[in-house]
Every structure is written in structure tokens, then in C-alpha cells.
Amino acid sequence: MTFEAASADAFLALFAQHQAAIAAMPGCGGVVLVERPVEQGVGFSTVSRWMSTADLDAYRASDLFGTVWPATKRLFAAPPTAA
């Protein structure tokens, strides 16, 4: 995920606010934030471990994801990529 410098702080606050709740979701083995180099702006990746695809899908259907993802997307400086 790539953010303008001004939006990076807002993203960090959002991640800090919700990290423990995401990690507490059933089937989540943890979630961490990694800063990564980007050509323009500030880049981050989140790395999460899920016990099964069903657990990840349940998180994606949760109210928590419905809160976190739209708030994160509003801050992007470039389209996100997934690996």
C-alpha cells in the first residue's frame, strides 16, 4: 500500500487502533506491519497469517473489515497490490 506522507500517519494510527482486534479474529495467527520502499510516498505491507481460507473469508465479511478497509482505501496514493 502506498500513501502520501501526510496520509501515512493516519494509516499508522488506523492500523494501531485495529491491529489487536484483527489478530483476535478467529483463525488469525497474527498481523504485522512492514514498511517497504516505494518510488513516491510511503509504502507499507500488512502480513497476516490465517489458519484457513474460510477464516480469512469470514474476516473479510466481518464488520471489522467493513470498518478498516474503507478507511484504509481512502488514504491510498496508489492502487494496492497483494502478494
Side-chain angles (χ1 to χ4, degrees):
M1 300 173 286
T2 302
F3 303 91
E4 298 292 334
S7 297
D9 288 340
F11 168 71
L12 290 172
L14 183 68
F15 182 80
Q17 178 183 358
H18 295 288
Q19 180 181 13
I22 295 167
M25 291 293 294
C28 184
V31 60
V32 297
L33 184 67
V34 178
E35 189 167 356
R36 60 178 179 74
V38 293
E39 288 188 32
Q40 303 264 340
V42 181
F44 296 103
S45 293
T46 57
V47 180
S48 57
R49 292 182 320 248
W50 294 90
M51 301 306 165
S52 71
T53 301
D55 291 327
L56 175 57
D57 290 342
Y59 165 63
R60 288 180 176 155
S62 73
D63 289 341
L64 178 59
F65 185 82
T67 298
V68 173
W69 187 240
T72 301
K73 285 189 341 183
R74 285 191 290 273
L75 300 171
F76 289 155
T81 58

Coordinates of all heavy atoms in Angstrom, one line a residue:
M1 N 0.8 -1.2 0.0 CA 0.0 0.0 0.0 C 0.9 1.2 0.0 O 1.9 1.3 0.7 CB -0.9 0.0 1.2 CG -1.8 -1.2 1.3 SD -2.7 -1.3 2.9 CE -1.4 -1.8 4.0
T2 N 0.6 2.2 -0.8 CA 1.3 3.4 -0.9 C 0.5 4.6 -0.5 O -0.7 4.7 -0.9 CB 1.8 3.7 -2.4 OG1 2.6 2.5 -2.8 CG2 2.7 4.9 -2.5
F3 N 1.1 5.5 0.4 CA 0.4 6.6 0.9 C 1.3 7.9 0.7 O 2.5 7.8 0.7 CB 0.2 6.5 2.4 CG -0.5 5.2 2.8 CD1 0.1 4.0 3.1 CD2 -1.9 5.2 2.9 CE1 -0.6 2.9 3.4 CE2 -2.6 4.1 3.2 CZ -1.9 2.9 3.5
E4 N 0.6 9.0 0.6 CA 1.3 10.3 0.6 C 1.8 10.4 2.1 O 1.2 9.8 3.0 CB 0.4 11.5 0.3 CG -0.2 11.4 -1.1 CD 0.9 11.7 -2.1 OE1 1.9 12.3 -1.9 OE2 0.7 11.2 -3.3
A5 N 2.9 11.1 2.3 CA 3.5 11.3 3.6 C 2.4 11.7 4.6 O 2.4 11.2 5.8 CB 4.7 12.2 3.6
A6 N 1.6 12.7 4.3 CA 0.6 13.2 5.2 C -0.5 12.1 5.6 O -1.0 12.2 6.7 CB -0.1 14.4 4.6
S7 N -0.7 11.2 4.7 CA -1.7 10.2 5.0 C -1.1 9.0 5.7 O -1.8 8.2 6.3 CB -2.4 9.7 3.6 OG -3.1 10.7 3.0
A8 N 0.2 8.8 5.6 CA 0.9 7.7 6.2 C 0.6 7.7 7.7 O 0.4 6.6 8.3 CB 2.4 7.7 5.9
D9 N 0.7 8.8 8.4 CA 0.5 8.9 9.8 C -1.0 8.5 10.2 O -1.2 7.8 11.2 CB 0.7 10.3 10.4 CG 2.2 10.6 10.4 OD1 3.1 9.7 10.4 OD2 2.6 11.8 10.4
A10 N -1.9 8.9 9.3 CA -3.3 8.5 9.6 C -3.5 7.0 9.4 O -4.2 6.3 10.2 CB -4.3 9.2 8.6
F11 N -2.8 6.4 8.4 CA -2.8 4.9 8.3 C -2.2 4.2 9.5 O -2.8 3.3 10.0 CB -2.1 4.5 7.0 CG -1.9 3.0 7.0 CD1 -3.0 2.2 6.8 CD2 -0.7 2.4 7.2 CE1 -2.9 0.8 6.8 CE2 -0.5 1.1 7.2 CZ -1.6 0.2 7.0
L12 N -1.1 4.7 9.9 CA -0.4 4.1 11.1 C -1.3 4.1 12.3 O -1.4 3.2 13.1 CB 0.9 4.8 11.4 CG 2.0 4.5 10.4 CD1 3.2 5.4 10.6 CD2 2.4 3.1 10.3
A13 N -2.0 5.2 12.5 CA -2.9 5.3 13.6 C -4.1 4.4 13.5 O -4.5 3.7 14.4 CB -3.5 6.8 13.8
L14 N -4.6 4.3 12.3 CA -5.7 3.3 12.0 C -5.3 1.9 12.2 O -6.0 1.1 12.9 CB -6.2 3.5 10.5 CG -7.3 2.7 10.1 CD1 -8.6 3.1 10.8 CD2 -7.5 2.8 8.5
F15 N -4.1 1.5 11.8 CA -3.6 0.2 12.0 C -3.4 -0.1 13.5 O -3.8 -1.2 13.9 CB -2.2 0.0 11.2 CG -1.7 -1.4 11.3 CD1 -2.2 -2.4 10.6 CD2 -0.7 -1.7 12.3 CE1 -1.7 -3.7 10.7 CE2 -0.2 -3.0 12.4 CZ -0.7 -4.0 11.6
A16 N -2.8 0.8 14.2 CA -2.6 0.7 15.6 C -3.9 0.5 16.4 O -4.0 -0.3 17.3 CB -1.8 1.8 16.2
Q17 N -4.9 1.2 15.9 CA -6.2 1.1 16.6 C -6.9 -0.2 16.4 O -7.6 -0.7 17.3 CB -7.1 2.2 16.0 CG -8.5 2.2 16.5 CD -9.4 3.3 15.8 OE1 -8.9 4.0 15.0 NE2 -10.7 3.3 16.2
H18 N -6.6 -0.9 15.2 CA -7.4 -2.1 14.9 C -6.5 -3.4 14.9 O -7.0 -4.5 14.7 CB -8.0 -2.0 13.6 CG -9.1 -0.9 13.6 ND1 -10.3 -1.1 14.2 CD2 -9.1 0.3 13.1 CE1 -11.0 0.0 14.1 NE2 -10.3 0.9 13.4
Q19 N -5.2 -3.3 15.0 CA -4.3 -4.5 14.9 C -4.7 -5.6 15.9 O -4.8 -6.7 15.5 CB -2.9 -4.1 15.1 CG -1.9 -5.2 15.0 CD -0.4 -4.8 15.3 OE1 -0.2 -3.7 15.7 NE2 0.5 -5.7 14.9
A20 N -4.9 -5.2 17.1 CA -5.3 -6.3 18.1 C -6.6 -6.9 17.8 O -6.7 -8.2 18.0 CB -5.3 -5.7 19.5
A21 N -7.6 -6.2 17.3 CA -8.9 -6.8 17.0 C -8.8 -7.7 15.8 O -9.4 -8.7 15.8 CB -9.9 -5.6 16.7
I22 N -7.9 -7.3 14.8 CA -7.8 -8.2 13.7 C -7.1 -9.5 14.1 O -7.5 -10.6 13.8 CB -6.9 -7.5 12.6 CG1 -7.7 -6.3 12.0 CG2 -6.6 -8.5 11.4 CD1 -6.8 -5.4 11.2
A23 N -6.0 -9.3 14.9 CA -5.3 -10.5 15.4 C -6.2 -11.4 16.3 O -5.9 -12.6 16.3 CB -4.1 -10.1 16.2
A24 N -7.2 -10.9 16.9 CA -8.1 -11.6 17.7 C -9.2 -12.3 16.9 O -10.0 -13.1 17.5 CB -8.7 -10.7 18.8
M25 N -9.3 -12.1 15.7 CA -10.3 -12.7 14.8 C -10.1 -14.2 14.8 O -8.9 -14.7 14.8 CB -10.3 -12.2 13.4 CG -10.8 -10.7 13.3 SD -12.5 -10.5 13.6 CE -13.3 -11.4 12.3
P26 N -11.2 -15.0 14.8 CA -11.0 -16.5 14.8 C -10.2 -16.9 13.6 O -10.4 -16.5 12.5 CB -12.4 -17.0 14.7 CG -13.3 -15.9 15.3 CD -12.6 -14.6 14.9
G27 N -9.2 -17.7 13.8 CA -8.3 -18.2 12.8 C -7.1 -17.4 12.4 O -6.3 -17.7 11.6
C28 N -7.0 -16.2 13.0 CA -5.9 -15.3 12.7 C -4.7 -15.7 13.5 O -4.8 -15.7 14.8 CB -6.2 -13.8 12.9 SG -4.9 -12.7 12.3
G29 N -3.6 -15.9 12.9 CA -2.4 -16.3 13.6 C -1.5 -15.1 13.8 O -0.3 -15.2 14.2
G30 N -1.9 -13.9 13.6 CA -1.2 -12.7 13.8 C -1.2 -11.8 12.6 O -1.4 -12.2 11.4
V31 N -0.9 -10.5 12.8 CA -0.9 -9.5 11.8 C 0.2 -8.5 12.1 O 0.3 -8.0 13.3 CB -2.2 -8.8 11.5 CG1 -2.8 -8.1 12.7 CG2 -2.2 -7.9 10.3
V32 N 1.1 -8.2 11.2 CA 2.2 -7.2 11.4 C 2.2 -6.2 10.3 O 1.7 -6.5 9.2 CB 3.5 -7.9 11.6 CG1 3.6 -8.8 12.8 CG2 3.9 -8.7 10.4
L33 N 2.9 -5.1 10.5 CA 3.0 -4.1 9.5 C 4.5 -4.0 9.2 O 5.4 -4.1 10.0 CB 2.6 -2.7 10.1 CG 2.6 -1.6 9.2 CD1 1.6 -1.7 8.1 CD2 2.3 -0.3 10.0
V34 N 4.8 -3.9 7.8 CA 6.1 -3.9 7.3 C 6.2 -2.6 6.4 O 5.4 -2.5 5.5 CB 6.5 -5.1 6.5 CG1 7.9 -5.0 6.0 CG2 6.3 -6.4 7.4
E35 N 7.2 -1.8 6.7 CA 7.4 -0.6 5.8 C 8.3 -1.1 4.7 O 9.2 -1.9 4.8 CB 8.2 0.5 6.5 CG 8.2 1.8 5.7 CD 8.7 3.0 6.5 OE1 8.9 2.9 7.7 OE2 8.8 4.0 5.8
R36 N 8.0 -0.7 3.5 CA 8.7 -1.1 2.3 C 9.0 0.1 1.4 O 8.3 1.1 1.4 CB 7.9 -2.2 1.5 CG 6.5 -1.7 1.0 CD 5.8 -2.7 0.2 NE 4.5 -2.2 -0.2 CZ 4.3 -1.4 -1.2 NH1 5.4 -0.9 -1.8 NH2 3.1 -1.0 -1.5
P37 N 10.1 0.0 0.6 CA 10.4 1.1 -0.3 C 9.4 1.3 -1.4 O 8.9 0.3 -1.9 CB 11.8 0.7 -0.8 CG 11.9 -0.8 -0.6 CD 11.0 -1.1 0.5
V38 N 9.2 2.5 -1.7 CA 8.4 2.8 -2.9 C 9.0 4.0 -3.6 O 9.8 4.8 -3.0 CB 6.9 3.2 -2.5 CG1 6.2 2.0 -2.0 CG2 6.8 4.3 -1.5
E39 N 8.7 4.2 -4.9 CA 9.3 5.3 -5.6 C 8.8 6.7 -5.1 O 9.6 7.6 -5.0 CB 9.1 5.2 -7.1 CG 9.9 4.0 -7.7 CD 9.8 4.0 -9.2 OE1 9.7 5.1 -9.8 OE2 9.9 2.9 -9.8
Q40 N 7.5 6.8 -4.8 CA 6.9 8.0 -4.4 C 6.1 7.7 -3.2 O 5.3 6.8 -3.2 CB 6.0 8.6 -5.5 CG 6.7 8.8 -6.8 CD 7.2 10.3 -7.0 OE1 6.7 11.2 -6.3 NE2 8.1 10.5 -7.8
G41 N 6.2 8.5 -2.1 CA 5.3 8.4 -1.0 C 5.9 7.4 0.0 O 7.1 7.2 0.1
V42 N 5.0 6.8 0.8 CA 5.4 5.9 1.9 C 4.7 4.6 1.7 O 3.5 4.6 1.4 CB 5.0 6.5 3.3 CG1 5.5 5.5 4.4 CG2 5.7 7.9 3.5
G43 N 5.5 3.5 1.7 CA 4.9 2.2 1.4 C 4.8 1.3 2.7 O 5.8 1.3 3.5
F44 N 3.7 0.6 2.8 CA 3.6 -0.4 3.9 C 3.0 -1.7 3.3 O 2.2 -1.6 2.3 CB 2.7 0.1 5.0 CG 3.2 1.3 5.7 CD1 2.7 2.5 5.4 CD2 4.2 1.1 6.7 CE1 3.1 3.7 6.1 CE2 4.6 2.3 7.4 CZ 4.1 3.5 7.1
S45 N 3.2 -2.8 3.9 CA 2.5 -4.0 3.7 C 2.0 -4.6 5.0 O 2.7 -4.4 6.0 CB 3.4 -5.1 3.0 OG 3.8 -4.7 1.7
T46 N 0.9 -5.1 5.0 CA 0.4 -5.9 6.2 C 0.6 -7.3 5.9 O 0.4 -7.8 4.8 CB -1.0 -5.6 6.6 OG1 -1.9 -5.9 5.5 CG2 -1.2 -4.1 7.0
V47 N 1.1 -8.1 6.8 CA 1.3 -9.5 6.7 C 0.5 -10.2 7.8 O 0.7 -9.9 9.0 CB 2.8 -9.9 6.8 CG1 3.0 -11.4 6.7 CG2 3.6 -9.1 5.8
S48 N -0.5 -11.0 7.3 CA -1.3 -11.7 8.3 C -1.3 -13.2 8.0 O -1.1 -13.6 6.8 CB -2.8 -11.2 8.3 OG -3.3 -11.3 7.0
R49 N -1.4 -14.0 9.0 CA -1.5 -15.5 8.8 C -2.9 -15.9 9.2 O -3.4 -15.6 10.3 CB -0.5 -16.1 9.7 CG 1.0 -15.9 9.3 CD 1.9 -16.7 10.3 NE 1.4 -16.6 11.6 CZ 2.0 -16.0 12.6 NH1 3.2 -15.3 12.4 NH2 1.5 -16.0 13.8
W50 N -3.5 -16.7 8.4 CA -4.8 -17.2 8.6 C -4.8 -18.8 8.6 O -4.1 -19.3 7.8 CB -5.8 -16.7 7.6 CG -5.9 -15.2 7.7 CD1 -5.2 -14.3 7.1 CD2 -6.8 -14.5 8.6 NE1 -5.6 -13.0 7.6 CE2 -6.6 -13.2 8.5 CE3 -7.8 -15.0 9.5 CZ2 -7.3 -12.2 9.2 CZ3 -8.5 -14.0 10.2 CH2 -8.2 -12.6 10.1
M51 N -5.5 -19.4 9.5 CA -5.4 -20.8 9.6 C -6.1 -21.5 8.4 O -5.7 -22.6 8.0 CB -6.1 -21.3 10.9 CG -5.5 -20.7 12.1 SD -3.7 -21.1 12.2 CE -3.2 -20.0 13.5
S52 N -7.0 -20.8 7.8 CA -7.7 -21.4 6.6 C -8.3 -20.2 5.8 O -8.4 -19.1 6.2 CB -8.9 -22.3 7.0 OG -9.9 -21.5 7.6
T53 N -8.6 -20.5 4.5 CA -9.2 -19.6 3.6 C -10.6 -19.2 4.2 O -11.0 -18.0 4.1 CB -9.4 -20.2 2.2 OG1 -8.0 -20.5 1.7 CG2 -10.0 -19.2 1.3
A54 N -11.3 -20.1 4.8 CA -12.6 -19.8 5.4 C -12.5 -18.8 6.5 O -13.3 -17.9 6.6 CB -13.2 -21.1 5.9
D55 N -11.4 -18.9 7.3 CA -11.2 -17.9 8.4 C -10.9 -16.5 7.8 O -11.5 -15.5 8.2 CB -10.0 -18.3 9.2 CG -10.3 -19.5 10.1 OD1 -11.4 -19.7 10.5 OD2 -9.3 -20.2 10.4
L56 N -10.1 -16.4 6.7 CA -9.8 -15.2 6.0 C -11.1 -14.6 5.4 O -11.4 -13.4 5.5 CB -8.8 -15.3 5.0 CG -8.5 -14.1 4.1 CD1 -8.0 -12.9 5.0 CD2 -7.4 -14.4 3.1
D57 N -11.9 -15.5 4.8 CA -13.1 -15.0 4.2 C -14.1 -14.5 5.2 O -14.8 -13.5 5.0 CB -13.8 -16.1 3.4 CG -13.0 -16.5 2.1 OD1 -12.2 -15.6 1.6 OD2 -13.2 -17.6 1.5
A58 N -14.1 -15.2 6.4 CA -15.0 -14.7 7.5 C -14.6 -13.3 8.0 O -15.4 -12.5 8.2 CB -15.0 -15.7 8.6
Y59 N -13.3 -13.1 8.1 CA -12.8 -11.7 8.4 C -13.2 -10.7 7.4 O -13.7 -9.6 7.7 CB -11.3 -11.8 8.6 CG -10.7 -10.4 8.6 CD1 -11.0 -9.5 9.6 CD2 -9.8 -9.9 7.6 CE1 -10.5 -8.2 9.6 CE2 -9.3 -8.6 7.6 CZ -9.6 -7.8 8.6 OH -9.1 -6.5 8.6
R60 N -13.1 -11.1 6.1 CA -13.4 -10.1 5.0 C -14.9 -9.8 5.0 O -15.3 -8.8 4.5 CB -13.0 -10.7 3.7 CG -11.5 -10.7 3.5 CD -11.1 -11.2 2.1 NE -9.7 -11.1 1.9 CZ -9.1 -11.9 1.1 NH1 -9.7 -12.9 0.4 NH2 -7.8 -11.8 0.9
A61 N -15.7 -10.7 5.6 CA -17.2 -10.5 5.7 C -17.6 -9.8 7.0 O -18.8 -9.5 7.2 CB -17.9 -11.8 5.5
S62 N -16.6 -9.6 7.9 CA -16.9 -9.0 9.2 C -17.1 -7.5 9.2 O -16.7 -6.8 8.3 CB -15.8 -9.4 10.2 OG -14.6 -8.6 9.9
D63 N -17.8 -7.1 10.3 CA -18.0 -5.6 10.5 C -16.6 -5.0 10.7 O -16.5 -3.8 10.2 CB -18.8 -5.4 11.7 CG -20.3 -5.8 11.5 OD1 -20.7 -5.9 10.3 OD2 -21.0 -5.9 12.5
L64 N -15.7 -5.6 11.3 CA -14.3 -5.1 11.5 C -13.7 -4.7 10.1 O -13.2 -3.6 9.9 CB -13.5 -6.0 12.3 CG -12.0 -5.6 12.5 CD1 -12.0 -4.2 13.3 CD2 -11.3 -6.7 13.3
F65 N -13.7 -5.7 9.2 CA -13.1 -5.4 7.9 C -13.9 -4.3 7.2 O -13.3 -3.4 6.5 CB -13.2 -6.7 7.1 CG -12.5 -6.5 5.7 CD1 -11.1 -6.6 5.6 CD2 -13.3 -6.3 4.6 CE1 -10.5 -6.5 4.3 CE2 -12.7 -6.1 3.3 CZ -11.3 -6.2 3.2
G66 N -15.2 -4.3 7.4 CA -16.1 -3.3 6.8 C -15.8 -1.9 7.3 O -16.1 -0.9 6.7
T67 N -15.1 -1.8 8.5 CA -14.7 -0.5 9.0 C -13.3 -0.2 8.6 O -13.0 0.9 8.1 CB -14.8 -0.6 10.6 OG1 -16.1 -0.8 11.0 CG2 -14.2 0.7 11.2
V68 N -12.4 -1.1 8.7 CA -11.0 -0.9 8.5 C -10.6 -0.7 7.0 O -9.9 0.3 6.6 CB -10.1 -2.1 9.0 CG1 -8.7 -1.9 8.7 CG2 -10.3 -2.2 10.5
W69 N -11.2 -1.5 6.1 CA -10.8 -1.5 4.7 C -11.2 -0.2 4.0 O -10.4 0.5 3.4 CB -11.2 -2.7 4.0 CG -10.7 -2.8 2.6 CD1 -11.4 -2.8 1.4 CD2 -9.3 -2.8 2.2 NE1 -10.6 -2.8 0.3 CE2 -9.3 -2.8 0.7 CE3 -8.1 -2.7 2.8 CZ2 -8.1 -2.8 0.0 CZ3 -6.9 -2.7 2.1 CH2 -6.9 -2.8 0.7
P70 N -12.4 0.3 4.2 CA -12.8 1.5 3.5 C -12.0 2.7 4.0 O -11.6 3.6 3.3 CB -14.3 1.7 3.8 CG -14.8 0.3 4.1 CD -13.6 -0.4 4.7
A71 N -11.8 2.7 5.3 CA -11.0 3.8 5.9 C -9.5 3.8 5.4 O -8.9 4.9 5.1 CB -11.0 3.7 7.4
T72 N -9.0 2.6 5.2 CA -7.6 2.5 4.6 C -7.6 2.9 3.2 O -6.7 3.7 2.7 CB -7.2 1.0 4.8 OG1 -7.2 0.7 6.2 CG2 -5.8 0.9 4.2
K73 N -8.6 2.4 2.4 CA -8.6 2.8 1.0 C -8.7 4.2 0.7 O -8.1 4.7 -0.3 CB -9.8 2.1 0.3 CG -9.6 0.6 0.1 CD -10.7 -0.1 -0.7 CE -12.0 0.6 -0.9 NZ -12.9 -0.2 -1.7
R74 N -9.4 5.0 1.5 CA -9.5 6.4 1.3 C -8.1 7.1 1.4 O -7.9 8.2 0.9 CB -10.4 7.1 2.4 CG -11.9 6.8 2.1 CD -12.8 7.7 3.0 NE -12.8 7.3 4.4 CZ -13.5 6.4 4.9 NH1 -14.4 5.7 4.1 NH2 -13.5 6.1 6.2
L75 N -7.1 6.5 2.1 CA -5.8 7.1 2.3 C -4.8 6.7 1.2 O -3.7 7.3 1.1 CB -5.3 6.6 3.6 CG -6.1 7.0 4.9 CD1 -5.6 6.3 6.1 CD2 -6.2 8.5 5.0
F76 N -5.1 5.8 0.3 CA -4.1 5.3 -0.7 C -3.7 6.5 -1.6 O -4.5 7.2 -2.1 CB -4.7 4.2 -1.6 CG -4.9 2.9 -0.8 CD1 -5.8 2.0 -1.3 CD2 -4.1 2.5 0.2 CE1 -6.0 0.8 -0.7 CE2 -4.3 1.3 0.9 CZ -5.2 0.4 0.4
A77 N -2.4 6.5 -2.0 CA -1.9 7.3 -3.0 C -1.8 6.6 -4.3 O -1.6 7.2 -5.4 CB -0.5 7.9 -2.6
A78 N -1.9 5.3 -4.3 CA -1.8 4.4 -5.5 C -2.6 3.1 -5.2 O -2.8 2.8 -4.1 CB -0.3 4.1 -5.8
P79 N -3.0 2.5 -6.3 CA -3.8 1.2 -6.0 C -2.9 0.2 -5.3 O -1.7 0.1 -5.5 CB -4.1 0.7 -7.5 CG -4.0 1.9 -8.3 CD -3.0 2.8 -7.7
P80 N -3.6 -0.5 -4.3 CA -2.8 -1.5 -3.6 C -2.5 -2.8 -4.4 O -3.2 -3.0 -5.4 CB -3.7 -1.9 -2.4 CG -5.1 -1.6 -3.0 CD -4.9 -0.5 -3.9
T81 N -1.5 -3.5 -4.0 CA -1.2 -4.8 -4.6 C -1.2 -5.9 -3.5 O -1.0 -5.6 -2.4 CB 0.1 -4.8 -5.3 OG1 1.1 -4.5 -4.4 CG2 0.1 -3.8 -6.5
A82 N -1.5 -7.1 -3.9 CA -1.5 -8.2 -3.0 C -0.5 -9.3 -3.5 O -0.4 -9.5 -4.7 CB -2.9 -8.8 -2.8
A83 N 0.1 -9.9 -2.5 CA 1.1 -11.0 -2.9 C 0.7 -12.2 -2.2 O 0.1 -12.2 -1.2 CB 2.5 -10.6 -2.6

